[in-house]
Coordinates of all heavy atoms in Angstrom, one line a residue:
M415 N 0.9 -1.2 0.0 CA 0.0 -0.1 0.1 C 0.9 1.3 0.1 O 0.5 2.2 -0.6 CB -1.0 0.0 1.2 CG -2.1 -0.9 1.1 SD -3.0 -0.8 -0.4 CE -3.6 1.0 -0.3
A416 N 2.0 1.2 0.8 CA 2.9 2.3 0.8 C 3.6 2.6 -0.7 O 3.6 3.8 -1.0 CB 4.0 2.1 1.7
R417 N 3.8 1.6 -1.3 CA 4.4 1.7 -2.7 C 3.3 2.3 -3.6 O 3.6 3.2 -4.5 CB 4.7 0.3 -3.3 CG 5.5 0.4 -4.5 CD 6.8 1.0 -4.6 NE 7.3 1.3 -6.0 CZ 7.9 0.5 -6.8 NH1 8.1 -0.7 -6.5 NH2 8.1 0.9 -8.0
L418 N 2.0 1.8 -3.5 CA 0.9 2.3 -4.3 C 0.8 3.8 -4.1 O 0.6 4.6 -5.0 CB -0.4 1.6 -4.0 CG -1.6 2.0 -4.9 CD1 -1.3 1.9 -6.4 CD2 -2.7 1.2 -4.5
T419 N 0.7 4.2 -2.8 CA 0.6 5.6 -2.5 C 1.7 6.4 -3.0 O 1.5 7.6 -3.5 CB 0.5 5.7 -0.9 OG1 -0.6 4.9 -0.4 CG2 0.3 7.2 -0.5
E420 N 2.9 5.9 -3.0 CA 4.0 6.7 -3.5 C 3.8 6.9 -5.0 O 4.1 8.0 -5.6 CB 5.3 5.7 -3.3 CG 6.6 6.3 -3.8 CD 7.8 5.4 -3.6 OE1 7.8 4.7 -2.6 OE2 8.6 5.5 -4.4
E421 N 3.5 5.8 -5.7 CA 3.2 5.9 -7.2 C 2.2 6.9 -7.5 O 2.2 7.6 -8.5 CB 3.1 4.5 -7.8 CG 4.2 3.6 -7.7 CD 5.4 4.1 -8.4 OE1 5.4 5.0 -9.2 OE2 6.5 3.5 -8.2
V422 N 1.0 6.8 -6.7 CA 0.0 7.8 -7.0 C 0.5 9.3 -6.8 O 0.1 10.2 -7.5 CB -1.3 7.5 -6.2 CG1 -2.3 8.6 -6.3 CG2 -1.9 6.1 -6.6
G423 N 1.3 9.4 -5.8 CA 1.9 10.7 -5.6 C 2.8 11.2 -6.8 O 2.8 12.3 -7.2
E424 N 3.5 10.2 -7.3 CA 4.4 10.5 -8.5 C 3.5 10.9 -9.6 O 3.8 11.8 -10.4 CB 5.3 9.3 -8.8 CG 6.3 9.2 -7.7 CD 7.3 7.9 -7.9 OE1 7.0 7.2 -9.0 OE2 8.1 7.6 -7.1
L425 N 2.4 10.1 -9.8 CA 1.5 10.5 -11.0 C 0.9 11.9 -10.8 O 0.9 12.7 -11.7 CB 0.4 9.5 -11.0 CG -0.7 9.7 -12.0 CD1 -0.3 9.9 -13.4 CD2 -2.0 8.9 -11.9
A426 N 0.5 12.2 -9.5 CA -0.1 13.5 -9.2 C 1.0 14.7 -9.5 O 0.7 15.7 -10.2 CB -0.5 13.7 -7.8
R427 N 2.3 14.3 -9.2 CA 3.3 15.4 -9.5 C 3.5 15.4 -11.1 O 3.7 16.6 -11.5 CB 4.6 14.8 -9.0 CG 5.7 15.8 -8.9 CD 6.7 15.5 -7.8 NE 7.8 16.6 -7.8 CZ 7.7 17.8 -7.2 NH1 6.4 18.1 -6.6 NH2 8.5 18.6 -7.1
E428 N 3.4 14.4 -11.8 CA 3.5 14.6 -13.2 C 2.4 15.3 -13.9 O 2.5 16.2 -14.8 CB 3.7 13.1 -14.0 CG 4.9 12.5 -13.6 CD 6.3 13.3 -14.0 OE1 6.2 13.9 -15.0 OE2 7.1 13.2 -13.2
V429 N 1.1 14.9 -13.3 CA -0.1 15.6 -13.9 C 0.0 17.2 -13.6 O -0.2 17.9 -14.4 CB -1.2 15.1 -13.3 CG1 -2.6 16.0 -13.6 CG2 -1.6 13.6 -13.8
N430 N 0.6 17.4 -12.3 CA 0.7 18.9 -12.0 C 1.8 19.6 -12.9 O 1.6 20.7 -13.2 CB 1.1 19.0 -10.6 CG 0.9 20.3 -9.9 OD1 0.2 21.1 -10.4 ND2 1.7 20.7 -9.1
H431 N 2.7 18.8 -13.2 CA 3.8 19.3 -14.0 C 3.3 19.6 -15.5 O 3.7 20.7 -15.9 CB 5.0 18.4 -14.1 CG 6.0 18.6 -15.1 ND1 6.8 19.8 -14.9 CD2 6.5 18.2 -16.2 CE1 7.6 19.9 -16.0 NE2 7.4 18.9 -16.8
V432 N 2.5 18.8 -15.9 CA 2.1 19.0 -17.4 C 0.9 19.9 -17.4 O 0.8 20.7 -18.3 CB 1.6 17.7 -18.0 CG1 1.0 17.9 -19.4 CG2 2.8 16.7 -18.0
H433 N -0.1 19.8 -16.4 CA -1.4 20.6 -16.5 C -1.5 21.6 -15.4 O -2.4 22.5 -15.4 CB -2.5 19.6 -16.4 CG -2.5 18.6 -17.6 ND1 -2.9 19.0 -18.8 CD2 -2.2 17.3 -17.6 CE1 -2.8 17.8 -19.6 NE2 -2.4 16.8 -18.8
G434 N -0.5 21.5 -14.5 CA -0.7 22.5 -13.3 C 0.3 23.6 -13.4 O 0.8 23.9 -14.5
E435 N 0.5 24.2 -12.4 CA 1.4 25.4 -12.4 C 2.7 25.3 -11.7 O 3.5 26.3 -11.5 CB 0.7 26.6 -11.6 CG -0.7 26.9 -12.3 CD -1.4 28.0 -11.5 OE1 -0.9 28.4 -10.5 OE2 -2.5 28.4 -12.0
K436 N 3.1 24.1 -11.4 CA 4.4 23.7 -10.7 C 5.4 23.0 -11.6 O 5.3 21.8 -11.8 CB 4.1 22.9 -9.5 CG 5.3 22.9 -8.6 CD 5.0 22.2 -7.3 CE 6.2 22.0 -6.4 NZ 6.0 21.4 -5.2
P437 N 6.3 23.9 -12.2 CA 7.3 23.2 -13.1 C 8.2 22.4 -12.2 O 8.4 22.5 -11.0 CB 8.1 24.5 -13.6 CG 7.8 25.5 -12.7 CD 6.5 25.3 -12.0
K438 N 9.0 21.5 -12.9 CA 9.9 20.6 -12.3 C 11.1 21.3 -12.1 O 11.5 22.2 -12.8 CB 10.1 19.5 -13.2 CG 9.2 18.3 -13.1 CD 9.7 17.1 -13.8 CE 8.8 15.9 -13.6 NZ 9.2 14.7 -14.4
K439 N 11.8 20.8 -11.0 CA 13.3 21.3 -10.8 C 14.1 20.6 -11.7 O 13.9 19.5 -12.2 CB 13.7 21.0 -9.4 CG 12.8 21.7 -8.3 CD 13.3 21.3 -6.9 CE 12.3 21.8 -5.9 NZ 12.4 21.1 -4.7
A440 N 15.3 21.2 -12.0 CA 16.3 20.5 -13.0 C 16.8 19.2 -12.5 O 17.2 18.4 -13.3 CB 17.4 21.5 -13.3
T441 N 16.7 19.1 -11.1 CA 17.3 17.9 -10.5 C 16.3 16.7 -10.5 O 16.7 15.6 -10.2 CB 17.8 18.1 -9.1 OG1 16.7 18.7 -8.4 CG2 18.9 19.2 -9.1
E442 N 15.0 16.9 -10.9 CA 14.0 15.9 -10.8 C 14.1 15.0 -12.0 O 14.4 15.5 -13.2 CB 12.6 16.6 -10.7 CG 12.4 17.2 -9.4 CD 11.0 17.7 -9.2 OE1 10.7 18.8 -9.7 OE2 10.1 17.0 -8.6
D443 N 13.6 13.8 -11.8 CA 13.7 12.7 -13.0 C 12.6 13.2 -14.0 O 11.6 13.9 -13.7 CB 13.2 11.5 -12.4 CG 14.3 10.7 -11.6 OD1 15.4 11.2 -11.6 OD2 13.9 9.9 -10.7
A444 N 12.9 12.9 -15.3 CA 12.0 13.3 -16.4 C 11.0 12.1 -16.7 O 11.0 11.6 -17.8 CB 12.9 13.4 -17.7
N445 N 10.3 11.8 -15.7 CA 9.2 10.8 -15.8 C 8.1 11.3 -16.6 O 7.9 12.6 -16.7 CB 8.7 10.2 -14.5 CG 9.8 9.4 -13.9 OD1 10.8 9.0 -14.4 ND2 9.7 9.1 -12.6
T446 N 7.2 10.5 -17.2 CA 5.9 11.1 -17.8 C 4.7 10.5 -17.1 O 4.8 9.5 -16.3 CB 5.9 10.6 -19.3 OG1 5.8 9.1 -19.2 CG2 7.2 11.0 -20.0
I447 N 3.5 11.1 -17.4 CA 2.3 10.5 -16.9 C 2.1 9.1 -17.3 O 1.7 8.2 -16.6 CB 1.2 11.4 -17.5 CG1 1.1 12.8 -16.8 CG2 -0.2 10.7 -17.1 CD1 0.2 13.8 -17.4
E448 N 2.5 8.7 -18.6 CA 2.4 7.3 -19.0 C 3.2 6.4 -18.2 O 2.9 5.4 -17.8 CB 3.0 7.3 -20.5 CG 2.9 6.0 -21.1 CD 3.4 6.0 -22.6 OE1 3.9 7.1 -23.0 OE2 3.3 5.0 -23.2
D449 N 4.5 6.9 -17.9 CA 5.4 6.0 -17.0 C 4.7 5.8 -15.7 O 4.7 4.7 -15.1 CB 6.7 6.8 -16.7 CG 7.6 6.8 -17.9 OD1 7.4 6.1 -18.9 OD2 8.4 7.8 -17.9
E450 N 4.1 6.8 -15.1 CA 3.6 6.7 -13.7 C 2.3 5.8 -13.7 O 2.0 5.0 -12.8 CB 3.3 8.1 -13.1 CG 4.6 8.9 -12.9 CD 5.7 8.2 -12.0 OE1 5.4 7.2 -11.4 OE2 6.8 8.6 -12.3
L451 N 1.5 6.0 -14.8 CA 0.4 5.1 -15.0 C 0.7 3.6 -15.0 O 0.2 2.8 -14.3 CB -0.5 5.5 -16.1 CG -1.3 6.7 -16.0 CD1 -1.9 7.1 -17.3 CD2 -2.5 6.7 -15.0
G452 N 1.9 3.4 -15.8 CA 2.4 2.0 -15.8 C 2.8 1.5 -14.5 O 2.7 0.3 -14.1
D453 N 3.6 2.4 -13.8 CA 4.0 2.0 -12.4 C 2.8 1.6 -11.5 O 2.8 0.6 -10.7 CB 4.8 3.1 -11.7 CG 6.1 3.4 -12.4 OD1 6.5 2.6 -13.2 OD2 6.7 4.5 -12.1
I454 N 1.8 2.4 -11.6 CA 0.6 2.1 -10.8 C -0.1 0.7 -11.2 O -0.5 0.0 -10.3 CB -0.5 3.2 -10.9 CG1 0.1 4.5 -10.1 CG2 -1.7 2.8 -10.3 CD1 -0.7 5.8 -10.4
V455 N -0.1 0.5 -12.4 CA -0.7 -0.8 -12.9 C 0.2 -1.9 -12.3 O -0.4 -3.0 -11.9 CB -0.8 -0.9 -14.4 CG1 -1.2 -2.3 -14.8 CG2 -1.9 0.1 -14.9
F456 N 1.5 -1.8 -12.5 CA 2.3 -2.8 -12.1 C 2.3 -3.1 -10.5 O 2.1 -4.3 -10.0 CB 3.9 -2.4 -12.1 CG 4.9 -3.4 -11.6 CD1 5.1 -4.6 -12.3 CD2 5.5 -3.0 -10.5 CE1 6.0 -5.5 -11.7 CE2 6.5 -4.0 -9.9 CZ 6.7 -5.2 -10.5
V457 N 2.0 -1.9 -9.7 CA 2.0 -2.2 -8.3 C 0.6 -2.8 -7.9 O 0.5 -3.7 -7.1 CB 2.1 -0.8 -7.5 CG1 1.7 -1.1 -6.0 CG2 3.6 -0.3 -7.7
I458 N -0.5 -2.4 -8.6 CA -1.8 -3.0 -8.4 C -1.7 -4.5 -8.7 O -2.3 -5.4 -8.1 CB -2.9 -2.3 -9.3 CG1 -3.1 -0.9 -8.6 CG2 -4.1 -3.1 -9.3 CD1 -4.0 0.0 -9.3
T459 N -1.1 -4.9 -9.9 CA -1.0 -6.2 -10.2 C -0.2 -7.0 -9.1 O -0.6 -8.2 -8.8 CB -0.2 -6.3 -11.6 OG1 -0.9 -5.4 -12.7 CG2 -0.1 -7.7 -12.1
C460 N 0.8 -6.5 -8.6 CA 1.6 -7.2 -7.6 C 0.7 -7.4 -6.3 O 0.7 -8.4 -5.7 CB 2.8 -6.3 -7.1 SG 4.1 -6.3 -8.4
I461 N -0.1 -6.3 -6.0 CA -1.0 -6.6 -4.8 C -2.0 -7.6 -5.1 O -2.2 -8.5 -4.4 CB -1.6 -5.1 -4.5 CG1 -0.7 -4.1 -4.0 CG2 -2.9 -5.4 -3.5 CD1 -1.4 -2.7 -3.9
A462 N -2.6 -7.6 -6.3 CA -3.5 -8.7 -6.6 C -2.9 -10.0 -6.6 O -3.5 -11.0 -6.0 CB -4.1 -8.3 -8.0
N463 N -1.7 -10.2 -7.1 CA -1.1 -11.4 -7.1 C -0.8 -11.9 -5.8 O -0.9 -13.1 -5.5 CB 0.3 -11.4 -8.0 CG 0.0 -11.3 -9.5 OD1 -1.1 -11.6 -10.0 ND2 1.0 -11.0 -10.2
S464 N -0.3 -11.1 -4.9 CA 0.0 -11.4 -3.5 C -1.2 -11.9 -2.8 O -1.1 -12.7 -1.8 CB 0.8 -10.3 -2.8 OG -0.2 -9.3 -2.5
L465 N -2.4 -11.4 -3.1 CA -3.5 -11.8 -2.5 C -4.4 -12.8 -3.2 O -5.5 -13.2 -2.9 CB -4.5 -10.5 -2.3 CG -3.9 -9.4 -1.5 CD1 -4.9 -8.1 -1.4 CD2 -3.8 -9.9 0.0
Q466 N -3.8 -13.5 -4.3 CA -4.3 -14.4 -5.1 C -5.7 -14.0 -5.7 O -6.6 -14.7 -5.7 CB -4.3 -15.7 -4.4 CG -2.9 -16.2 -4.0 CD -3.0 -17.5 -3.2 OE1 -4.0 -17.8 -2.5 NE2 -1.9 -18.2 -3.4
I467 N -5.7 -12.7 -6.2 CA -6.8 -12.2 -6.8 C -6.6 -12.0 -8.3 O -5.6 -11.7 -8.8 CB -7.2 -10.8 -6.2 CG1 -7.7 -10.9 -4.7 CG2 -8.3 -10.1 -7.0 CD1 -7.8 -9.5 -4.0
D468 N -7.6 -12.6 -9.0 CA -7.5 -12.5 -10.5 C -7.9 -11.0 -10.9 O -9.1 -10.7 -10.9 CB -8.5 -13.5 -11.1 CG -8.3 -13.5 -12.7 OD1 -8.0 -12.5 -13.3 OD2 -8.5 -14.6 -13.3
L469 N -7.0 -10.2 -11.4 CA -7.1 -8.9 -11.7 C -8.2 -8.7 -12.8 O -8.9 -7.7 -12.9 CB -5.9 -8.2 -12.0 CG -5.8 -6.6 -11.7 CD1 -6.2 -6.3 -10.3 CD2 -4.4 -6.3 -11.9
S470 N -8.1 -9.7 -13.8 CA -9.2 -9.6 -14.9 C -10.6 -9.7 -14.4 O -11.4 -9.0 -14.9 CB -8.9 -10.9 -15.9 OG -7.6 -10.7 -16.4
D471 N -10.8 -10.5 -13.4 CA -12.1 -10.7 -12.8 C -12.5 -9.4 -12.1 O -13.7 -8.8 -12.2 CB -12.2 -11.9 -11.7 CG -12.1 -13.1 -12.4 OD1 -12.3 -13.3 -13.6 OD2 -11.9 -14.2 -11.7
S472 N -11.6 -8.7 -11.3 CA -11.9 -7.5 -10.8 C -12.2 -6.4 -11.7 O -13.2 -5.7 -11.5 CB -10.5 -7.0 -10.0 OG -10.2 -8.0 -9.0
F473 N -11.4 -6.4 -12.9 CA -11.7 -5.3 -13.8 C -13.0 -5.6 -14.5 O -13.9 -4.7 -14.7 CB -10.6 -5.3 -14.9 CG -10.8 -4.3 -16.0 CD1 -10.5 -2.9 -15.7 CD2 -11.2 -4.6 -17.2 CE1 -10.7 -2.0 -16.6 CE2 -11.3 -3.7 -18.2 CZ -11.1 -2.4 -17.9
N474 N -13.4 -6.9 -14.7 CA -14.7 -7.1 -15.4 C -15.8 -6.8 -14.5 O -16.9 -6.3 -14.9 CB -14.7 -8.7 -15.8 CG -13.8 -8.9 -17.0 OD1 -13.5 -8.0 -17.7 ND2 -13.3 -10.1 -17.1
K475 N -15.6 -7.0 -13.1 CA -16.6 -6.7 -12.2 C -16.9 -5.1 -12.2 O -18.0 -4.6 -12.2 CB -16.4 -7.1 -10.8 CG -16.6 -8.6 -10.6 CD -16.1 -8.9 -9.2 CE -16.2 -10.5 -9.0 NZ -15.6 -10.8 -7.7
S476 N -15.8 -4.4 -12.3 CA -15.9 -3.0 -12.3 C -16.6 -2.5 -13.6 O -17.5 -1.6 -13.5 CB -14.5 -2.3 -12.3 OG -14.0 -2.5 -10.9
M477 N -16.2 -3.0 -14.7 CA -16.9 -2.7 -16.0 C -18.3 -2.9 -16.0 O -19.2 -2.3 -16.4 CB -16.1 -3.3 -17.1 CG -14.7 -2.8 -17.3 SD -14.4 -1.0 -17.3 CE -15.4 -0.6 -18.8
M478 N -18.7 -4.0 -15.3 CA -20.1 -4.5 -15.3 C -20.9 -3.4 -14.5 O -22.0 -3.0 -14.8 CB -20.3 -5.8 -14.6 CG -21.6 -6.3 -14.5 SD -22.4 -6.5 -16.2 CE -21.6 -8.0 -16.7
K479 N -20.3 -2.9 -13.4 CA -20.9 -1.8 -12.6 C -21.2 -0.6 -13.4 O -22.2 0.0 -13.4 CB -20.1 -1.4 -11.4 CG -20.3 -2.4 -10.2 CD -19.6 -1.8 -9.0 CE -18.1 -1.9 -9.1 NZ -17.4 -1.4 -7.8
F480 N -20.1 -0.1 -14.2 CA -20.2 1.0 -15.1 C -21.3 0.8 -16.1 O -22.0 1.8 -16.5 CB -18.9 1.3 -15.7 CG -17.9 1.8 -14.7 CD1 -16.7 1.2 -14.6 CD2 -18.1 2.9 -13.8 CE1 -15.8 1.6 -13.7 CE2 -17.2 3.2 -12.9 CZ -16.0 2.7 -12.9
E481 N -21.4 -0.4 -16.6 CA -22.5 -0.7 -17.7 C -23.8 -0.9 -17.2 O -24.8 -0.9 -18.0 CB -22.0 -2.0 -18.5 CG -20.7 -1.6 -19.3 CD -20.1 -2.9 -19.8 OE1 -20.5 -4.0 -19.5 OE2 -19.1 -2.7 -20.4
T482 N -24.0 -1.2 -15.9 CA -25.4 -1.4 -15.3 C -25.8 -0.3 -14.3 O -26.5 0.5 -14.6 CB -25.4 -2.8 -14.8 OG1 -24.4 -3.0 -13.8 CG2 -25.3 -3.9 -15.8
R483 N -25.3 -0.5 -13.1 CA -25.7 0.4 -12.0 C -25.3 1.9 -12.4 O -26.2 2.7 -12.1 CB -24.8 0.0 -10.7 CG -25.2 0.8 -9.5 CD -24.2 0.6 -8.4 NE -23.1 1.3 -8.7 CZ -21.8 1.2 -8.0 NH1 -21.8 0.5 -7.0 NH2 -20.8 1.9 -8.3
D484 N -24.2 2.2 -13.0 CA -23.8 3.5 -13.3 C -24.0 4.0 -14.8 O -23.5 4.9 -15.1 CB -22.4 3.8 -12.9 CG -22.0 3.4 -11.5 OD1 -23.0 3.5 -10.7 OD2 -20.9 3.1 -11.1
K485 N -24.9 3.2 -15.4 CA -25.1 3.4 -16.9 C -25.6 4.8 -17.2 O -25.3 5.3 -18.3 CB -25.8 2.4 -17.6 CG -27.3 2.3 -17.2 CD -27.9 1.2 -18.0 CE -29.3 0.9 -17.5 NZ -30.3 2.0 -17.5
D486 N -26.3 5.5 -16.3 CA -26.9 6.8 -16.6 C -26.3 7.9 -15.7 O -26.7 8.9 -15.7 CB -28.4 6.8 -16.2 CG -29.1 5.7 -17.0 OD1 -28.8 5.6 -18.3 OD2 -30.1 5.2 -16.6
R487 N -25.1 7.6 -15.2 CA -24.4 8.4 -14.4 C -23.7 9.6 -15.1 O -23.5 10.7 -14.6 CB -23.4 7.7 -13.5 CG -22.8 8.6 -12.4 CD -22.0 7.7 -11.5 NE -21.5 8.4 -10.5 CZ -20.5 7.9 -9.5 NH1 -20.5 6.5 -9.4 NH2 -20.0 8.7 -8.7
W488 N -23.2 9.2 -16.3 CA -22.5 10.2 -17.1 C -23.2 10.5 -18.4 O -24.0 9.6 -19.0 CB -21.1 9.8 -17.4 CG -20.3 9.7 -16.1 CD1 -19.8 10.7 -15.4 CD2 -19.9 8.5 -15.4 NE1 -19.1 10.2 -14.3 CE2 -19.2 8.8 -14.3 CE3 -20.2 7.1 -15.6 CZ2 -18.8 8.0 -13.4 CZ3 -19.7 6.2 -14.7 CH2 -19.0 6.6 -13.6
T489 N -22.9 11.6 -19.0 CA -23.5 11.9 -20.3 C -22.6 11.2 -21.4 O -21.5 11.3 -21.4 CB -23.6 13.4 -20.6 OG1 -24.3 14.2 -19.6 CG2 -24.1 13.8 -22.0
K490 N -23.4 10.5 -22.2 CA -22.6 9.6 -23.2 C -22.3 10.5 -24.3 O -23.0 11.4 -24.8 CB -23.6 8.5 -23.6 CG -22.8 7.3 -24.1 CD -23.9 6.2 -24.4 CE -23.3 5.0 -24.8 NZ -24.1 3.9 -25.1
K491 N -21.0 10.3 -24.8 CA -20.6 11.0 -26.0 C -21.0 10.3 -27.2 O -20.9 9.1 -27.3 CB -19.0 11.1 -26.0 CG -18.4 12.1 -25.1 CD -17.0 12.3 -25.2 CE -16.4 13.1 -24.2 NZ -15.0 13.3 -24.2
V492 N -21.5 11.0 -28.2 CA -22.0 10.4 -29.4 C -20.7 10.3 -30.5 O -20.0 11.3 -30.7 CB -23.0 11.3 -30.1 CG1 -23.5 10.7 -31.4 CG2 -24.2 11.5 -29.1
T493 N -20.5 9.1 -30.9 CA -19.3 9.0 -31.8 C -19.8 9.2 -33.2 O -21.0 9.2 -33.4 CB -18.7 7.5 -31.7 OG1 -19.7 6.6 -32.1 CG2 -18.2 7.2 -30.3
H494 N -18.9 9.3 -34.1 CA -19.2 9.5 -35.5 C -20.1 8.4 -36.1 O -20.9 8.6 -36.9 CB -17.9 9.8 -36.3 CG -17.3 11.1 -36.0 ND1 -17.9 12.3 -36.3 CD2 -16.2 11.4 -35.3 CE1 -17.0 13.3 -35.8 NE2 -16.1 12.7 -35.4
Q495 N -19.7 7.2 -35.5 CA -20.4 6.0 -36.1 C -21.9 6.0 -35.6 O -22.7 5.3 -36.3 CB -19.7 4.8 -35.6 CG -18.3 4.6 -36.1 CD -17.5 3.4 -35.4 OE1 -17.8 3.0 -34.3 NE2 -16.6 2.8 -36.2
E496 N -22.3 6.6 -34.5 CA -23.6 6.6 -34.0 C -24.5 7.7 -34.5 O -25.6 7.7 -34.4 CB -23.6 6.7 -32.5 CG -22.9 5.6 -31.8 CD -22.7 5.7 -30.3 OE1 -22.6 6.9 -29.8 OE2 -22.8 4.7 -29.6
E497 N -23.8 8.7 -35.2 CA -24.5 9.8 -35.8 C -25.4 9.5 -36.9 O -25.0 8.6 -37.7 CB -23.5 10.9 -36.1 CG -22.9 11.6 -34.9 CD -22.0 12.7 -35.3 OE1 -21.4 12.7 -36.4 OE2 -21.8 13.6 -34.3
Ligands
MG1304 MG1 6.8 5.9 -10.4

């Protein structure tokens, strides 16, 4: 959990760097939002493996919630194919 929190903090720092008002110091690593998202996925995968949880099942359950319980929660974007 500490590692996950650390990586989420690093993501927040990168998002702030790109979209916020706090520029990086010259001494800071040149990570990207993409790098930090990858780090978070890795840590989450490690947590799931250590608890013998199938992450695919977890993801599918979450997607099912978005498609059923939360289906009217957000305004759907119309794609060009649906127009
Ligand atoms: Mg990182």
Side-chain angles (χ1 to χ4, degrees):
M415 284 308 301
R417 182 74 198 272
L418 179 59
T419 303
E420 179 184 331
E421 294 298 348
V422 171
E424 290 176 5
L425 173 62
R427 190 156 184 80
E428 293 303 321
V429 169
N430 194 31
H431 172 62
V432 174
H433 300 286
E435 298 177 359
K436 190 171 181 186
K438 275 190 177 179
K439 296 174 189 166
T441 54
E442 287 184 281
D443 290 341
N445 291 344
T446 64
I447 292 172
E448 183 180 8
D449 291 339
E450 298 307 339
L451 286 171
D453 289 350
I454 290 169
V455 170
F456 176 75
V457 174
I458 287 172
T459 303
C460 291
I461 292 170
N463 286 344
S464 73
L465 298 173
Q466 298 178 333
I467 291 170
D468 185 325
L469 206 49
S470 295
D471 289 345
S472 300
F473 182 74
N474 289 335
K475 283 180 189 172
S476 290
M477 293 311 295
M478 184 62 75
K479 277 192 288 188
F480 292 124
E481 292 168 357
T482 56
R483 186 192 71 188
D484 300 337
K485 68 180 171 53
D486 298 321
R487 190 169 177 181
W488 296 283
T489 304
K490 210 173 182 181
K491 287 185 179 176
V492 177
T493 64
H494 292 292
Q495 294 171 335
E496 294 173 330
E497 289 177 335

